[in-house]
Amino acid sequence: MPVSGVVISCLVGCSEAVSGRIAAFDGVEVHGVLPDNQIVAVIEADTVDAEVKLVSQLHEVEDVVSVRLAYHNFEDL
Amino acid sequence: MDSSTKHSGITRRRFLKDGVLLPLALAAAGGGVSTLFLRRADARGFYLRPPGALEEGNFLAACIKCGKCAQACPYNSIRMSGAEAGVAIGTPHIIARETPCYLCPDLPCAKACPSGALDRKLEDVEKVRMGTAVIVDRENCLSLRGLRCEVCYRQCPLIDKAITILPRHNQRTGVHSIMEPVIHHDKCVGCGICENACVRDKPVIVVMKSPPEQKDYYEF
Amino acid sequence: MSFKWWPIRRLVQLGVIALIASPLAGLNIFRGNLAAGDLLGVGLADPLAFMQATLASHIFILSFFGSALAVAAFYFVIGGRTFCGWVCPVYLVTELNDRLSRYLGIAERSYSLSGTRWSLAVTLSVSLLAGIPLFEMLSPIGITSRAIMFKSWTPLLLVLGIMIVEALAARRIWCRSLCPVGGFYALLGRFSPLRVGFSRQRCTGCGECSRVCPVEEVLAPSLVDGAGQVTSGDCTRCGDCIDICPAKALDVNIWYK
Amino acid sequence: MALSRREFLKASAAAVAFAAAGASVLNPKVSEAGDAGIKWGKAPCRFCGTGCGVLVGVKGGKIVATKGDPAAPVNRGLNCIKGYFLSKVLYGKDRLTKPLIRKGDKMVEASWDEAMTLIASKFKESIAKHGPDSVAMYGSGQWTVFEGYAALKLFKGGIGTNNIEPNARLCMASAVTGFMTTFASDEPMGCYDDLDLGDTYFLWGANMAECHPVLFSRMIDNRLKNPDVRIIDFGTRRTRTSQMADQYVRFNPQTDLALLNAIAHVIIKEKLYDEKFIKKHVVFKKGKENIGYGLEDKFKFTDDPKPISFDDYKKFLEKYTPEYASKLSGVPAAKIVELARLYADKKRKVNSLWTMGFNQHVRGTWVNNLVYNVHLLTGKISRPGENPMSLTGQPSACGTAREVGTFTHRLPADMVVTNPEHRAKAAEIWGIDVKRIPDKPTYNATEMFRALDRGDIKVLWSQVTNPFQSLPHLNRYRKGARKGDGRFVIVSDIYPTKSTEVADVILPSASWVEKEGFFGNAERRGQQWFKMVDAPGEAKSDLWQTMELARRLGHGNLFPYKYAEKEIFEEYRKFTVGGKDLAPYEAYVKARGLRWPVVNGKETLWRYAEGHDPYVKAGEGVKFYKNKKDDGRAVIWARPYEPAAESPDKQYPFWLCTGRVLEHWHTGTMTGRVPEIKRAYPAAVCEMHPDDAKRMGIKNLQKVKITSRRGTIILPVDLNGRGKAEKGNIFVAFFDETKLINELCIDAYCPISGEPDYKKCAVKVEKA
């Protein structure tokens, strides 16, 4: 099961709103909202494909500029 | 002549000789001799000898300090030690950080040795045992910090034998691997090319007489 | 102008130094030094260095032995300490130093020539017992030649020390009484065929020969008892006595002539 | 137990993400940090096309430190050894600080005004006497976007000549023509994330371990985490990459063409292709054959693409049985079948990666086409973790040379001078009469220097590159530059090089963070940086130099900028809207790079893929929308095997291949000035197979004389080095300016891309 740490950059002043939006996704845990329009979140999914899909979906969320994978683990658990 | 010596001639020449020059001479000679004997080996506790050198005790017994090995080295890697070497004065050694041994396939230095201090029958450079490389400062090794350095590995004349690369996961970045240089002491000839090539100010990989002592029998 | 030995000898001495220095000029005539070297590809070795290393390391290298034997044979023929008088660079230094010392007139004592035999004995036994070629470690000959070969200067302090002691206290003590190489060649030269001959008829007893001789004891049997040849192995065959003798009482001689 | 391990992993994931984000809390411009008053700013690394982010530490007006940028997505704080020493690259003792003008045999210091007056007069004189095509600009994939754009605008829109080329022509022109012929749009669909997400990697003529070190460690990490990952290294030389690959497949030089066709042959014969994908997204074409090698001066070639059917293509492939390819390549037929099946395995995410082995190839365009064929046949393209990817060698080969289009035939953003609409668009943005833009391409890089040798080009200005070390058949071009008769060579650089040696005027340049810049890396990521330190002495940026010439030639109105860098970028961005879509400048100031197209503030990881590429509509899945000519489909090309321009024979029995090493970059002018790197790898060697050496009585480290029909060089032999030549091959790196291996190389090039083949020529080797 893959586990990833991601950094999400948002448009200026939108990070609180975005964190609310992304927290609604299954398998996404928001770990912190940083003062420079960035959000740190952890993503869990069943397969790498599902995970990539999830990251892609986060990309589509309103006011998200980029989603950056900072840590990725997909060994079997 | 005798009478003059007894009276006045004694003064200046005698004084000069016995009072100043003789003590000075004794001090110089004594100082010279004692520096020869008091200091021994370099800070690392051993001299990197040319390829084919006998074990240090035997080497010192057999070396007659003729310098032929140094003259035979095409890279001027071999130097003759000076007074600072004590008992080993005048013996050939290599300062790897300045010029390592490049392991000429025909080993001209060993062939030049008249007295058997260097084994002239040595044919295979892979059988040379001058010492072994050791990573002495893991904290400052760039490769161990995840950077793509591994200069020691790529420049090793016994690449993939004496030094291999063990990749492992870099926990910090999560997506890169740490390419760890691993030294195999049974294959390392101790030529010092890695020590020479290390890009840190103070080389983190150096040649030592033998790997640091192990207190168990695990072999990694 | 009459024939003199000393310019030839000086040339040979300087030639030896030039040979030792020749690799620095990129020449491929000579490699190594007086302990062991290759002259035009022929291996040469100091027999004493061979003995020390062999005794110390218990390793016998045949070619090393051969080189040493060849050198020993050569010096046996031309007279033992000829090595000292004609080849050794330290001898050249001490010789010139002696001139200085005489000029200053401060060193007057001489010590016994037999010292070199003791020194030889000590060298060989320490080499055997301690497993280290004792003399090669201290040898001012090696130190001087390595200074030339590798510009390694600090050990020359030892040579400087010898010079000062000789100048101030004990005339030519190193070559006369301490050097085991001299000791070895003195033993070897005892029966060498090439010698200095002496003609009692011509000798005027002026003493010039003794004054210039570095080992004046060797002339005594001739000067005192009228022996026709200088037989002592300590004679360096330097030829200075022949050159200086105003009466031509001394010359080059072959054994049993 | 499982739970606690999972919790641990999540905590690590969060910690790493915080670390990554934490560093970016720094104001990316220049911000104060704790340690000893050092100010840190962000910039991409100055070396290869990977585009690692670094933080540059400035104190007292000098770069005192650099470190990998933990917030940079490409490298996450890591660097290779070149990047590690970035802080020393600009501070070599012999930095050029004053303009120098040749007076007889001497280079004499001069003022900028003198130098620029002289240069302008030479340009004017030459244009007046011989027309605008007698002056030329030779630039580089190390130009910043602004510099490349300004040079392009001056030459094409001002002076009115297409005589502008980048050194990227020697480096990835074949990748460009490969992309253009297959997809009608330059640059890869995938990105570096594919290195983390795929499970099968075919490397073709790419020594990633040494030449893309940080990316390589990323791919290796993928394998560490997933034991199913397979790395297959196709090569003509055993490298550090081969050493770490699962399989090393050795083939005879030039036969990659046959191998790829054989792989396609097997895929078709065994019906392993994706029929649906082919029907929907692919058309088939055939071009000219026996297309020559560009060895003659003024060589011209135009392809003549003809549509063919899938069946025609199948027929074309019939010849390429594994047995036939095996005979040519030396790869066992069974191995070819096995690897074709691996390529087509439906359960595998397959990537192909290549660099100079493909691109520096007399059939470079073809071999690029052929690798796309395999991906298009199997439908393994434009998916996360599954793409063909061309890796580049210069920091802005993509950003400046390719995207800005500093080639003789190009205009910005994939446009070409031969297309009247494209010229019209450029003229409109530049505010000039469209007639000013000449409609015919002139010379590719090799031809440009041939023209200088012949005297057709009189004045040539080289910026940020070192052609007189890097050109093939170097003797001819070095001599050509100094033939006199009105020839005038200007070289802008930061150090004396083999090129400044032949220059009439040397201009001291500002480099890297001595000026504001913008690079585009191999995954379409644009990265911006600010000026952080002053250039030494009177050195000035190439942008200033180009604009100063423009002013003196009366084209100052083309550059009416106050804040030139930003305004140029915004002007250039107009070209990209609706295709390559770069983001506004401000976005790059904030981000650690963004991958175009950036639409509505969002970057694109996978082009042509629904859900990723904003130009692919819902329901389309994959759409190669750039190829409008073929209705949004990609092209599978029937490209045959044809031999190299020069193959070993009795007289010259060895193949010579050239390339790079990890420590040094290209011609070594920067890395050679870092004492640590210089000590680590001081001089070039000749890699040779031990059996060949033994046969010839050559021992390791012994000197050998290598001779080709064009030159001779003496090098020590390396029989057991980091790279191991195959039998009948030798390899020499080209960084060593005291050993100009390029004098031996043949100046044959791919007729379509114009990129010379540095990997194959015939030489003999003798004991020196």
Side-chain angles (χ1 to χ4, degrees), chain C residues 146-163:
Chain C
R146 284 193 305 275
I148 300 167
M149 293 157 78
F150 304 110
K151 307 184 184 88
S152 137
W153 308 118
T154 39
L156 281 179
L157 277 175
L158 185 71
V159 179
L160 185 71
I162 290 173
M163 284 170 68

PDB file of all heavy atoms in Angstrom, chain C residues 146-163:
ATOM      1  N   ARG C 146      71.365  10.619  -1.519  1.00  0.00           N
ATOM      2  CA  ARG C 146      69.926  10.880  -1.617  1.00  0.00           C
ATOM      3  C   ARG C 146      69.638  12.377  -1.656  1.00  0.00           C
ATOM      4  O   ARG C 146      68.673  12.821  -2.262  1.00  0.00           O
ATOM      5  CB  ARG C 146      69.182  10.212  -0.468  1.00  0.00           C
ATOM      6  CG  ARG C 146      69.025   8.710  -0.660  1.00  0.00           C
ATOM      7  CD  ARG C 146      68.027   8.133   0.308  1.00  0.00           C
ATOM      8  NE  ARG C 146      68.357   8.436   1.689  1.00  0.00           N
ATOM      9  CZ  ARG C 146      69.204   7.716   2.435  1.00  0.00           C
ATOM     10  NH1 ARG C 146      69.788   6.660   1.928  1.00  0.00           N
ATOM     11  NH2 ARG C 146      69.449   8.057   3.678  1.00  0.00           N
ATOM     12  N   ALA C 147      70.538  13.145  -0.995  1.00  0.00           N
ATOM     13  CA  ALA C 147      70.370  14.605  -1.078  1.00  0.00           C
ATOM     14  C   ALA C 147      70.518  15.047  -2.523  1.00  0.00           C
ATOM     15  O   ALA C 147      69.780  15.900  -3.008  1.00  0.00           O
ATOM     16  CB  ALA C 147      71.388  15.298  -0.189  1.00  0.00           C
ATOM     17  N   ILE C 148      71.468  14.418  -3.212  1.00  0.00           N
ATOM     18  CA  ILE C 148      71.663  14.775  -4.618  1.00  0.00           C
ATOM     19  C   ILE C 148      70.483  14.260  -5.467  1.00  0.00           C
ATOM     20  O   ILE C 148      69.913  14.976  -6.273  1.00  0.00           O
ATOM     21  CB  ILE C 148      72.985  14.177  -5.153  1.00  0.00           C
ATOM     22  CG1 ILE C 148      74.166  14.714  -4.344  1.00  0.00           C
ATOM     23  CG2 ILE C 148      73.162  14.473  -6.638  1.00  0.00           C
ATOM     24  CD1 ILE C 148      75.463  13.960  -4.579  1.00  0.00           C
ATOM     25  N   MET C 149      70.091  13.000  -5.223  1.00  0.00           N
ATOM     26  CA  MET C 149      69.075  12.365  -6.062  1.00  0.00           C
ATOM     27  C   MET C 149      67.692  12.969  -5.854  1.00  0.00           C
ATOM     28  O   MET C 149      66.936  13.142  -6.799  1.00  0.00           O
ATOM     29  CB  MET C 149      68.987  10.865  -5.749  1.00  0.00           C
ATOM     30  CG  MET C 149      70.211  10.065  -6.120  1.00  0.00           C
ATOM     31  SD  MET C 149      70.291   8.549  -5.133  1.00  0.00           S
ATOM     32  CE  MET C 149      69.094   7.518  -5.954  1.00  0.00           C
ATOM     33  N   PHE C 150      67.328  13.196  -4.608  1.00  0.00           N
ATOM     34  CA  PHE C 150      65.936  13.565  -4.313  1.00  0.00           C
ATOM     35  C   PHE C 150      65.811  14.917  -3.624  1.00  0.00           C
ATOM     36  O   PHE C 150      64.776  15.256  -3.095  1.00  0.00           O
ATOM     37  CB  PHE C 150      65.284  12.490  -3.441  1.00  0.00           C
ATOM     38  CG  PHE C 150      65.356  11.129  -4.060  1.00  0.00           C
ATOM     39  CD1 PHE C 150      66.177  10.150  -3.523  1.00  0.00           C
ATOM     40  CD2 PHE C 150      64.612  10.829  -5.182  1.00  0.00           C
ATOM     41  CE1 PHE C 150      66.244   8.900  -4.096  1.00  0.00           C
ATOM     42  CE2 PHE C 150      64.676   9.571  -5.759  1.00  0.00           C
ATOM     43  CZ  PHE C 150      65.504   8.601  -5.219  1.00  0.00           C
ATOM     44  N   LYS C 151      66.905  15.646  -3.562  1.00  0.00           N
ATOM     45  CA  LYS C 151      66.905  16.950  -2.896  1.00  0.00           C
ATOM     46  C   LYS C 151      66.364  16.829  -1.479  1.00  0.00           C
ATOM     47  O   LYS C 151      65.592  17.660  -1.015  1.00  0.00           O
ATOM     48  CB  LYS C 151      66.060  17.942  -3.699  1.00  0.00           C
ATOM     49  CG  LYS C 151      66.477  18.021  -5.152  1.00  0.00           C
ATOM     50  CD  LYS C 151      65.672  19.096  -5.869  1.00  0.00           C
ATOM     51  CE  LYS C 151      65.999  19.124  -7.344  1.00  0.00           C
ATOM     52  NZ  LYS C 151      65.171  18.206  -8.143  1.00  0.00           N
ATOM     53  N   SER C 152      66.755  15.761  -0.810  1.00  0.00           N
ATOM     54  CA  SER C 152      66.317  15.584   0.577  1.00  0.00           C
ATOM     55  C   SER C 152      67.429  16.102   1.475  1.00  0.00           C
ATOM     56  O   SER C 152      68.457  15.451   1.664  1.00  0.00           O
ATOM     57  CB  SER C 152      66.004  14.101   0.787  1.00  0.00           C
ATOM     58  OG  SER C 152      66.492  13.626   1.989  1.00  0.00           O
ATOM     59  N   TRP C 153      67.243  17.324   1.959  1.00  0.00           N
ATOM     60  CA  TRP C 153      68.364  18.045   2.569  1.00  0.00           C
ATOM     61  C   TRP C 153      68.554  17.808   4.063  1.00  0.00           C
ATOM     62  O   TRP C 153      69.688  17.753   4.535  1.00  0.00           O
ATOM     63  CB  TRP C 153      68.232  19.555   2.323  1.00  0.00           C
ATOM     64  CG  TRP C 153      68.032  19.923   0.879  1.00  0.00           C
ATOM     65  CD1 TRP C 153      66.961  20.558   0.337  1.00  0.00           C
ATOM     66  CD2 TRP C 153      68.928  19.677  -0.216  1.00  0.00           C
ATOM     67  NE1 TRP C 153      67.122  20.712  -1.022  1.00  0.00           N
ATOM     68  CE2 TRP C 153      68.324  20.185  -1.396  1.00  0.00           C
ATOM     69  CE3 TRP C 153      70.181  19.070  -0.317  1.00  0.00           C
ATOM     70  CZ2 TRP C 153      68.921  20.109  -2.645  1.00  0.00           C
ATOM     71  CZ3 TRP C 153      70.782  18.993  -1.566  1.00  0.00           C
ATOM     72  CH2 TRP C 153      70.166  19.506  -2.713  1.00  0.00           C
ATOM     73  N   THR C 154      67.470  17.688   4.804  1.00  0.00           N
ATOM     74  CA  THR C 154      67.627  17.692   6.274  1.00  0.00           C
ATOM     75  C   THR C 154      68.629  16.671   6.804  1.00  0.00           C
ATOM     76  O   THR C 154      69.395  16.996   7.707  1.00  0.00           O
ATOM     77  CB  THR C 154      66.284  17.516   7.005  1.00  0.00           C
ATOM     78  OG1 THR C 154      65.502  16.567   6.287  1.00  0.00           O
ATOM     79  CG2 THR C 154      65.554  18.821   7.164  1.00  0.00           C
ATOM     80  N   PRO C 155      68.644  15.441   6.264  1.00  0.00           N
ATOM     81  CA  PRO C 155      69.590  14.478   6.850  1.00  0.00           C
ATOM     82  C   PRO C 155      71.052  14.913   6.684  1.00  0.00           C
ATOM     83  O   PRO C 155      71.920  14.396   7.372  1.00  0.00           O
ATOM     84  CB  PRO C 155      69.322  13.184   6.062  1.00  0.00           C
ATOM     85  CG  PRO C 155      67.958  13.345   5.508  1.00  0.00           C
ATOM     86  CD  PRO C 155      67.814  14.806   5.226  1.00  0.00           C
ATOM     87  N   LEU C 156      71.280  15.890   5.802  1.00  0.00           N
ATOM     88  CA  LEU C 156      72.660  16.361   5.642  1.00  0.00           C
ATOM     89  C   LEU C 156      73.197  16.962   6.936  1.00  0.00           C
ATOM     90  O   LEU C 156      74.407  17.160   7.071  1.00  0.00           O
ATOM     91  CB  LEU C 156      72.739  17.398   4.514  1.00  0.00           C
ATOM     92  CG  LEU C 156      72.754  16.850   3.090  1.00  0.00           C
ATOM     93  CD1 LEU C 156      72.818  17.983   2.088  1.00  0.00           C
ATOM     94  CD2 LEU C 156      73.948  15.914   2.881  1.00  0.00           C
ATOM     95  N   LEU C 157      72.298  17.248   7.880  1.00  0.00           N
ATOM     96  CA  LEU C 157      72.734  17.719   9.200  1.00  0.00           C
ATOM     97  C   LEU C 157      73.782  16.792   9.789  1.00  0.00           C
ATOM     98  O   LEU C 157      74.722  17.229  10.459  1.00  0.00           O
ATOM     99  CB  LEU C 157      71.529  17.779  10.153  1.00  0.00           C
ATOM    100  CG  LEU C 157      70.658  19.028  10.072  1.00  0.00           C
ATOM    101  CD1 LEU C 157      69.461  18.860  10.982  1.00  0.00           C
ATOM    102  CD2 LEU C 157      71.486  20.253  10.469  1.00  0.00           C
ATOM    103  N   LEU C 158      73.584  15.509   9.539  1.00  0.00           N
ATOM    104  CA  LEU C 158      74.526  14.541  10.075  1.00  0.00           C
ATOM    105  C   LEU C 158      75.911  14.753   9.468  1.00  0.00           C
ATOM    106  O   LEU C 158      76.931  14.722  10.171  1.00  0.00           O
ATOM    107  CB  LEU C 158      74.037  13.116   9.772  1.00  0.00           C
ATOM    108  CG  LEU C 158      74.874  12.006  10.385  1.00  0.00           C
ATOM    109  CD1 LEU C 158      74.684  11.960  11.886  1.00  0.00           C
ATOM    110  CD2 LEU C 158      74.550  10.664   9.756  1.00  0.00           C
ATOM    111  N   VAL C 159      75.938  14.982   8.158  1.00  0.00           N
ATOM    112  CA  VAL C 159      77.217  15.229   7.485  1.00  0.00           C
ATOM    113  C   VAL C 159      77.829  16.519   8.016  1.00  0.00           C
ATOM    114  O   VAL C 159      79.031  16.599   8.277  1.00  0.00           O
ATOM    115  CB  VAL C 159      77.003  15.304   5.956  1.00  0.00           C
ATOM    116  CG1 VAL C 159      78.324  15.576   5.251  1.00  0.00           C
ATOM    117  CG2 VAL C 159      76.369  14.024   5.444  1.00  0.00           C
ATOM    118  N   LEU C 160      76.982  17.505   8.216  1.00  0.00           N
ATOM    119  CA  LEU C 160      77.463  18.768   8.770  1.00  0.00           C
ATOM    120  C   LEU C 160      78.076  18.538  10.147  1.00  0.00           C
ATOM    121  O   LEU C 160      79.143  19.075  10.481  1.00  0.00           O
ATOM    122  CB  LEU C 160      76.295  19.759   8.861  1.00  0.00           C
ATOM    123  CG  LEU C 160      76.677  21.161   9.305  1.00  0.00           C
ATOM    124  CD1 LEU C 160      77.461  21.861   8.188  1.00  0.00           C
ATOM    125  CD2 LEU C 160      75.439  21.968   9.678  1.00  0.00           C
ATOM    126  N   GLY C 161      77.381  17.714  10.927  1.00  0.00           N
ATOM    127  CA  GLY C 161      77.886  17.379  12.265  1.00  0.00           C
ATOM    128  C   GLY C 161      79.266  16.759  12.175  1.00  0.00           C
ATOM    129  O   GLY C 161      80.197  17.149  12.904  1.00  0.00           O
ATOM    130  N   ILE C 162      79.422  15.824  11.272  1.00  0.00           N
ATOM    131  CA  ILE C 162      80.725  15.173  11.094  1.00  0.00           C
ATOM    132  C   ILE C 162      81.780  16.211  10.730  1.00  0.00           C
ATOM    133  O   ILE C 162      82.881  16.230  11.271  1.00  0.00           O
ATOM    134  CB  ILE C 162      80.616  14.098   9.985  1.00  0.00           C
ATOM    135  CG1 ILE C 162      79.778  12.922  10.467  1.00  0.00           C
ATOM    136  CG2 ILE C 162      82.014  13.628   9.562  1.00  0.00           C
ATOM    137  CD1 ILE C 162      79.468  11.899   9.388  1.00  0.00           C
ATOM    138  N   MET C 163      81.385  17.107   9.827  1.00  0.00           N
ATOM    139  CA  MET C 163      82.360  18.115   9.400  1.00  0.00           C
ATOM    140  C   MET C 163      82.795  18.985  10.565  1.00  0.00           C
ATOM    141  O   MET C 163      83.992  19.282  10.717  1.00  0.00           O
ATOM    142  CB  MET C 163      81.740  18.999   8.306  1.00  0.00           C
ATOM    143  CG  MET C 163      81.674  18.320   6.948  1.00  0.00           C
ATOM    144  SD  MET C 163      80.699  19.283   5.786  1.00  0.00           S
ATOM    145  CE  MET C 163      81.747  20.703   5.581  1.00  0.00           C
TER     146      MET C 163
END
